[in-house]
Amino acid sequence: MDHKKLPKVPFYKVVLKTKQILNNPLPFHRENFAKFGDSFMVDLPRKGDVIFTRDAAFVQYMLQKNHRNYGKSRLQTEELAKYLGKGLLTINKDHWLRQRRLIQPAFHKKKIEGLLAIINKTIEEQLAEITIEKPIEAWDLMGDLAFNVVARSLFSYYDKKGKVARIKHITDSNQEMLVKELRQPFKKWWFHLKGDFRRASKNTKEVRAILEEMIETRRTSETEYDDLLDMLLQAEYEDGSHMSNEQLIDEILVLFTAGHETTANALSFALLLLAKHPEIQEQVWTEINALASGIDHMEIIKRLPYTKQCLEETMRLYPPAYFTDRINFEADEFNGLKIRKGSEILISFYEIHRAPEFWDEPEQFNPDRFLPENKKSRSGYYFPFGAGPRLCIGNGFAIYEMVLVLKHIIEQYEISTSLSSIEIKPMITLKPEQSTLTFKKR
């Protein structure tokens, strides 16, 4: 069947639900998946037909088995690239492969292990002044923590002048602008008229100027930091050339943005889930409390398998990268579905992670799903960091950091929440709408 024959949601139905889609498009997706099955199309102006899918086999095919024919769509290569530049997240084909080969060594397991001391120190400092026995927003706390972990461990940068905080503020603001653009493409004229695009462009230039200054300061420094920035400055392409400042800024901006936000989201959801399930929180505390003293950070991580399972189950229920996009470079066919060249395809990891055919009681928080013996069976329908060659380059870094954060928090505090339910706020990544927690000393 040609993809033209897929069930189609007409544009007027999108317009009628504009407000709902702007706030949270996931119920709209779920409603149409329930009505039409695992794949359907939406008619969008100037984009044409966009395919939405939660077909796990089709996703595996695109991301792994035939990945060479599927790259990031204009959603990332153009729209997101306006704000983040042409880095690993937003490029395709030879350019992506060249950059991935250059940057990959910085995220080798041994390299990350060497950063664990500074990651741990940063976590300790950030968590030293938690407000006790008063409600606070976990996302604010985790957002600042994760941003500083990236700044210090990857770039040895201490934010004495508030510049890293400024980068965070601008990237958050630009994300909100991008979400409005993507969910209301027919209102771009209004965003132009209001000056929204002009402000976003000015903010992006400011961020790039801050990063340029950071790079130039490092180039003239006689100190060797042995961090990611040193590695990127020294890294050579096959022809012996180095990255330009512009390309360096693009990669750093992607690492700052993607490297902190997804982690902050996952940690916020994990803390909310543990607060709502005190019996599971108690199991995590028991595991942490059994740790021997004097062991190194890597050994601590290895001895906290249940804590890691809680994070894995969190990312099943609330995958930070809850969707991704692909475009096919050449016409293709999968299970009888003919896919025209240049088709834009949106993949819902959120739906796959909650599909009852893959998960028993999928809405329940159950870390035991991720016992080691179950790992192989779930690989075809669990995508917290994507899959295939474009698997998130920082996945190991993120897991190590998150285990250490939970270890520090649960070791010292009992956490509770007054929230009756966990509500979501889908932006470019999946955030909690509220993340109110109370910390009580153990």
Side-chain angles (χ1 to χ4, degrees):
M1 136 176 106
D2 189 297
H3 85 231
K4 283 183 178 179
K5 304 279 174 55
L6 280 174
K8 186 187 229 178
V9 180
F11 178 57
Y12 80 86
K13 289 196 173 180
V14 178
V15 173
L16 289 174
K17 298 207 171 183
T18 293
K19 188 172 181 182
Q20 181 207 77
I21 291 169
L22 181 61
N23 291 331
N24 179 1
L26 295 184
F28 177 75
H29 297 171
R30 176 157 283 195
E31 174 190 324
N32 287 296
F33 281 127
K35 183 177 180 181
F36 298 124
D38 288 341
S39 298
F40 64 90
M41 290 194 304
V42 174
D43 177 21
L44 294 177
R46 290 198 287 181
K47 286 189 176 185
D49 297 333
V50 178
I51 299 172
F52 286 70
T53 190
R54 65 176 184 187
D55 182 335
F58 185 25
V59 172
Q60 263 197 306
Y61 176 77
M62 287 186 283
L63 302 188
Q64 294 174 291
K65 295 173 184 174
N66 196 23
H67 65 87
R68 287 184 178 84
N69 191 37
Y70 290 86
K72 297 293 183 75
S73 78
R74 60 180 295 278
L75 189 69
Q76 296 198 55
T77 60
E78 294 178 25
E79 303 288 359
L80 186 58
K82 283 189 302 192
Y83 301 108
L84 295 187
K86 300 284 187 180
L88 269 182
L89 192 64
T90 60
I91 53 180
N92 280 325
K93 295 187 174 181
D94 292 345
H95 188 188
W96 170 81
L97 186 59
R98 195 173 186 233
Q99 291 304 112
R100 180 84 181 204
R101 283 174 175 166
L102 196 73
I103 297 168
Q104 186 76 55
F107 288 91
H108 188 275
K109 187 178 177 183
K110 285 290 180 191
K111 189 81 176 176
I112 298 171
E113 285 181 28
L115 295 171
L116 288 178
I118 192 160
I119 292 171
N120 195 68
K121 183 171 183 282
T122 306
I123 292 167
E124 285 179 345
E125 290 174 6
Q126 290 291 124
L127 297 177
E129 297 178 14
I130 287 181
T131 304
I132 306 299
E133 299 193 11
K134 286 185 181 178
I136 63 168
E137 286 300 309
W139 199 90
D140 294 337
L141 181 68
M142 293 300 104
D144 289 344
L145 183 153
F147 213 92
N148 276 292
V149 166
V150 172
R152 294 186 190 181
S153 58
L154 299 184
F155 304 108
S156 304
Y157 196 85
Y158 284 78
D159 196 22
K160 294 174 184 174
K161 298 179 182 177
K163 289 186 177 180
V164 165
R166 182 65 182 155
I167 293 171
K168 182 177 181 296
H169 172 77
I170 288 174
T171 53
D172 288 347
S173 171
N174 280 354
Q175 180 182 155
E176 288 181 14
M177 184 63 240
L178 179 57
V179 166
K180 284 200 291 187
E181 278 186 74
L182 296 177
R183 293 182 189 167
Q184 297 177 294
F186 45 91
K187 288 182 72 174
K188 284 194 175 184
W189 64 273
W190 176 240
F191 302 143
H192 273 295
L193 200 63
K194 282 172 60 189
D196 290 346
F197 288 136
R198 186 172 61 253
R199 279 188 291 276
S201 177
K202 184 181 176 185
N203 283 343
T204 301
K205 286 176 183 173
E206 182 185 345
V207 165
R208 296 183 75 85
I210 292 170
L211 295 178
E212 176 112 38
E213 181 187 345
M214 189 170 116
I215 290 165
E216 286 303 324
T217 300
R218 181 63 65 86
R219 284 193 192 278
T220 57
S221 171
E222 294 181 3
T223 306
E224 284 192 21
Y225 292 89
D226 194 31
D227 59 7
L228 179 73
L229 184 52
D230 270 2
M231 198 283 298
L232 293 178
L233 285 165
Q234 293 159 16
E236 293 185 354
Y237 294 113
E238 290 178 0
D239 62 4
S241 63
H242 297 263
M243 267 195 279
S244 65
N245 271 15
E246 184 178 3
Q247 186 67 57
L248 267 167
I249 290 168
D250 290 348
E251 298 300 354
I252 292 169
L253 201 47
V254 165
L255 289 166
F256 258 131
T257 306
H260 98 275
E261 189 166 291
T262 51
T263 302
N265 293 345
L267 282 167
S268 299
F269 282 120
L271 291 170
L272 284 167
L273 286 163
L274 291 175
K276 291 187 73 62
H277 296 83
E279 73 289 353
I280 295 177
Q281 183 181 158
E282 196 64 20
Q283 282 183 256
V284 173
W285 180 80
T286 300
E287 180 179 74
I288 292 166
N289 200 42
L291 288 169
S293 59
I295 57 175
D296 65 27
H297 302 304
M298 195 66 224
E299 194 58 33
I300 287 172
I301 292 165
K302 286 177 182 175
R303 294 189 191 184
L304 297 177
Y306 189 72
T307 305
K308 185 185 174 193
Q309 285 169 222
C310 289
L311 287 163
E312 290 170 323
E313 173 69 342
T314 296
M315 290 187 289
R316 181 191 68 82
L317 281 167
Y318 302 104
Y322 64 103
F323 81 100
T324 193
D325 59 282
R326 286 296 185 268
I327 192 168
N328 56 319
F329 303 126
E330 299 297 335
D332 201 2
E333 184 174 346
F334 177 78
N335 280 0
L337 175 66
K338 292 181 180 178
I339 309 151
R340 287 180 302 169
K341 177 180 177 179
S343 295
E344 195 165 315
I345 305 162
L346 292 184
I347 297 165
S348 178
F349 295 136
Y350 183 88
E351 285 288 329
I352 294 169
H353 284 190
R354 289 171 180 251
E357 61 264 38
F358 301 135
W359 312 93
D360 292 331
E361 297 184 294
E363 304 296 324
Q364 298 300 311
F365 178 58
N366 177 13
D368 287 342
R369 297 181 208 274
F370 289 88
L371 287 165
E373 57 263 33
N374 299 330
K375 185 173 184 180
K376 193 172 183 181
S377 65
R378 65 175 178 260
S379 63
Y381 43 87
Y382 182 60
F383 305 99
F385 296 102
R390 294 198 78 142
L391 183 76
C392 172
I393 199 168
N395 64 326
F397 181 94
I399 289 291
Y400 292 168
E401 175 188 349
M402 290 191 292
V403 169
L404 288 175
V405 170
L406 286 192
K407 184 256 182 189
H408 277 280
I409 290 175
I410 303 302
E411 184 176 44
Q412 299 177 65
Y413 306 100
E414 284 181 36
I415 53 174
S416 59
T417 183
S418 59
L419 297 174
S420 58
S421 61
I422 298 174
E423 302 298 331
I424 56 176
K425 183 181 180 181
M427 300 289 282
I428 299 301
T429 58
L430 189 65
K431 297 181 176 181
E433 179 66 56
Q434 289 181 287
S435 56
T436 313
L437 292 177
T438 301
F439 292 76
K440 180 183 174 184
K441 273 279 186 187
R442 286 193 182 272

